């Protein structure tokens, strides 16, 4: 019988037919991959809305967390700026205040993204101040003059001379049964989403944030 690794791998590659077939064979929609990833979280991270909905229909817990990061599907979709997935999840009344291993909620991530925030505003959430986002290392303010950062990796903020930037985590490896490589995704607004390998001393389950200049 197929196991959680196969289900998570199918979700990571966007293979809805395989996801359905694996679920039909009796695999629990709430199973983990060997690395501790939930299928619904992986699907949300990659923006596969139809797979997210399928998993929810088959009993996936909307508030289930990955091991390590303690990210829910809403953390993943919000952090990546996948509006359709966020909308699908919000329509099913997720817990908006679940904290990850660093104390950050999906509301905090949404507060950094103008394109995603309206979903949370409609739910009555209070936007996290930018100073708090910086403190939580969701965004970082960097001044001009740091020549170590390539011009190709900058994001411009509305105020001259500074920028607030936002960097996505990388799940080391490729889209194989056990490892998933995130590709760069650029979001509009005052944040930058960029993909790089994790530092050699970082754990695969610990999202890494980097500073870029404007």
């Amino acid at each position: 019988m197929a196991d959680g690794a196969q289900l998570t791998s199918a979700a990571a590659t966007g293979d809805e037919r395989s996801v359905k077939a694996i679920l039909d064979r009796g695999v629990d929609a709430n199973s983990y991959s060997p690395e501790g990833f939930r299928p619904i979280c992986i699907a949300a991270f990659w923006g596969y809305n139809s797979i997210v909905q399928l998993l929810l229909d088959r009993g996936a817990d909307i508030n289930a967390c990955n091991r390590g990061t303690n990210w829910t599907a809403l953390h993943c979709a919000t952090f990546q700026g996948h509006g359709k997935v966020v909308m699908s999840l919000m329509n099913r009344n997720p817990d908006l205040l679940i904290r990850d291993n660093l104390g950050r909620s999906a509301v905090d991530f949404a507060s950094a993204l103008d394109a995603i925030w309206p979903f949370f505003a409609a739910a009555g959430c209070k936007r996290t101040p930018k100073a708090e986002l910086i403190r939580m290392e969701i965004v970082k303010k960097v001044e001009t003059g740091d020549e170590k950062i390539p011009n190709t990796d900058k994001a411009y903020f509305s105020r001259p001379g500074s920028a607030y930037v936002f960097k996505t985590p990388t799940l080391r490896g490729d889209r194989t049964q056990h490892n998933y490589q995130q590709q760069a995704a650029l979001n509009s607004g005052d944040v930058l989403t960029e993909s790089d390998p994790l530092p050699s001393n970082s754990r695969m389950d610990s999202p890494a944030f980097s500073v870029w200049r404007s």
Side-chain angles (χ1 to χ4, degrees), residues 7-142:
L7 181 58
T8 306
S9 179
T13 57
D15 189 346
E16 185 176 356
R17 180 177 296 180
S18 292
V19 170
K20 185 179 184 300
I22 293 168
L23 292 170
D24 286 344
R25 290 198 293 269
V27 173
D28 186 355
N30 290 300
S31 59
Y32 287 101
S33 73
E35 298 81 13
F37 300 133
R38 300 273 196 175
I40 191 171
C41 294
I42 286 291
F45 184 88
W46 287 94
Y48 298 129
N49 189 46
S50 61
I51 294 178
V52 168
Q53 294 188 64
L54 172 61
L55 289 165
L56 288 170
D57 290 342
R58 294 296 191 93
D61 181 356
I62 197 169
N63 296 318
C65 299
N66 285 336
R67 292 174 180 151
T69 61
N70 208 49
W71 278 22
T72 65
L74 190 60
H75 277 94
C76 294
T78 300
F79 194 83
Q80 288 289 76
H82 295 309
K84 289 184 178 180
V85 179
V86 170
M87 183 170 64
S88 292
L89 294 169
M90 295 291 278
N91 285 339
R92 301 203 186 204
N93 300 313
D95 185 342
L96 305 180
L97 300 179
I98 292 174
R99 301 280 172 179
D100 71 3
N101 63 324
L102 297 178
R104 303 168 301 189
S105 70
V107 175
D108 297 323
F109 288 140
S111 296
L113 294 167
D114 288 339
I116 298 300
W117 178 249
F119 296 110
F120 290 78
C125 298
K126 181 179 178 181
R127 196 164 193 173
T128 306
K130 193 158 288 180
E132 280 296 293
L133 298 179
I134 294 170
R135 183 189 65 78
M136 291 186 286
E137 296 190 326
I138 291 175
V139 298
K140 291 188 178 182
K141 181 178 180 181
V142 289

